[in-house]
Amino acid sequence: ESRVMATLDSVITTIGRCVDKNVPGIDYPSLETFTQGERLLQKNTRNAFGKAPAGRYTRIMVTLATEAADNYPFVQLLLENGVDAVRINCAHDDPAVWEKMIGHIRKAEAEVHRPCKIIMDVAGPKLRIGRILTAKQEPRVKRGERVFLTERESLNDFCGLDVAVNCNIGALVSHIAVGDLVRIDDGHIEGAVEEKCAEGLVVRVEKVYNDKGAKLKKDKGINFPGLHDDSDILTDKDRAHLSFVCRHA
């Protein structure tokens, strides 16, 4: 949104005049101020995604799958059909694969006569499910049930629970408190920390995306939305990738 503050100032000023009251420090913004945010938004959009194409205001960005490294016709087809920018997710694949993707993009640009921006984002630290530790055939969780989160890959006891999730949680445990919100698999499972113990965290499930419960799956993300800690936002892997990103994106 490009005009939030300017619009709020205008509304407050109008209400004030309707009731014969001036609000100190707030007045109608000038036309220059009112349109400043929109101009900045357009500038940043051009820098990130290129010039607006003829006939439409929006840009099209596609996240490249691994197949883009070995399938040039697929990449060429993207540009022929109007793609303005491609995104490479550095959480997947490696520099050798990314370089092939970028080579295909540059080749397609020349053949299709259409520029294409390359956007790359590093993975950053992320909690992911490793192993599912359970005797259940199909580990589903329902509202009201409890799950054990632990960094350990094997346990003799899951604090009396049926399901334990192995994840890279160790460095964060000291920052997590009982009652903290937990989301698993992009919010398909939501709960709260009920108990902390030496081996990990007991989480009570409060919401699932359907009444049949939600299946726990390897490599799905785990998030603590209210957590504040001093962990570095860049991992060693991210730093190793940044030099490549700066050269190509």
Side-chain angles (χ1 to χ4, degrees), residues 16 107 146 150 176 185 192 194 196 211 238 249:
K107 181 181 178 182
R146 298 188 299 167
T150 180
I176 297 169
D185 191 4
E194 187 175 82
K196 293 177 65 174
D211 293 337
D238 295 333

Side-chain angles (χ1 to χ4, degrees), residues 36-220:
Q36 181 180 16
E38 186 172 355
R39 291 196 305 275
L40 181 60
L41 184 60
Q42 290 174 350
K43 176 184 176 182
N44 291 339
T45 302
R46 284 194 301 271
N47 289 339
F49 301 107
K51 293 182 179 179
R56 56 182 164 88
Y57 175 75
T58 57
R59 277 76 160 176
I60 299 172
M61 182 174 75
V62 172
T63 298
L64 294 182
T66 304
E67 72 170 293
D70 299 312
N71 188 345
Y72 172 69
F74 167 74
V75 175
Q76 184 180 19
L77 192 63
L78 291 178
L79 269 67
E80 287 175 346
N81 282 275
V83 167
D84 303 293
V86 295
R87 169 181 173 261
I88 296 175
N89 183 356
C90 296
H92 304 285
D93 304 312
D94 56 47
V97 174
W98 306 333
E99 195 154 17
K100 289 181 181 179
M101 292 177 178
I102 292 167
H104 286 166
I105 290 294
R106 297 308 182 210
K107 181 181 178 182
E109 283 181 315
E111 294 187 357
V112 178
H113 305 292
R114 179 184 182 85
C116 182
K117 291 280 191 176
I118 294 174
I119 297 168
M120 303 181 72
D121 53 85
V122 295
K126 184 171 183 178
L127 292 176
R128 291 186 182 275
I129 294 176
R131 298 176 61 197
I132 310 296
L133 309 175
T134 182
K136 288 185 174 182
Q137 291 280 357
E138 187 175 289
R140 285 182 174 273
V141 292
K142 298 180 179 180
R143 183 180 176 186
E145 293 183 341
R146 298 188 299 167
V147 178
F148 190 58
L149 303 185
T150 180
E151 192 169 39
R152 299 191 180 185
E153 294 190 4
S154 62
L155 288 169
N156 293 324
D157 179 61
F158 308 156
C159 284
L161 305 181
D162 292 330
V163 179
V165 171
N166 158 250
C167 56
N168 53 327
I169 197 174
L172 295 177
V173 170
S174 61
H175 300 280
I176 297 169
V178 171
D180 281 355
L181 182 65
V182 185
R183 292 195 178 115
I184 301 173
D185 191 4
D186 295 325
H188 284 161
I189 302 169
E190 183 176 302
V193 176
E194 187 175 82
E195 182 184 341
K196 293 177 65 174
C197 61
E199 292 82 9
L201 306 171
V202 175
V203 175
R204 178 172 290 278
V205 177
E206 297 176 344
K207 295 180 183 177
V208 290
Y209 69 95
N210 67 43
D211 293 337
K212 294 180 180 179
K215 187 175 180 180
L216 292 166
K217 300 176 184 177
K218 188 176 186 297
D219 293 329
K220 293 300 182 180

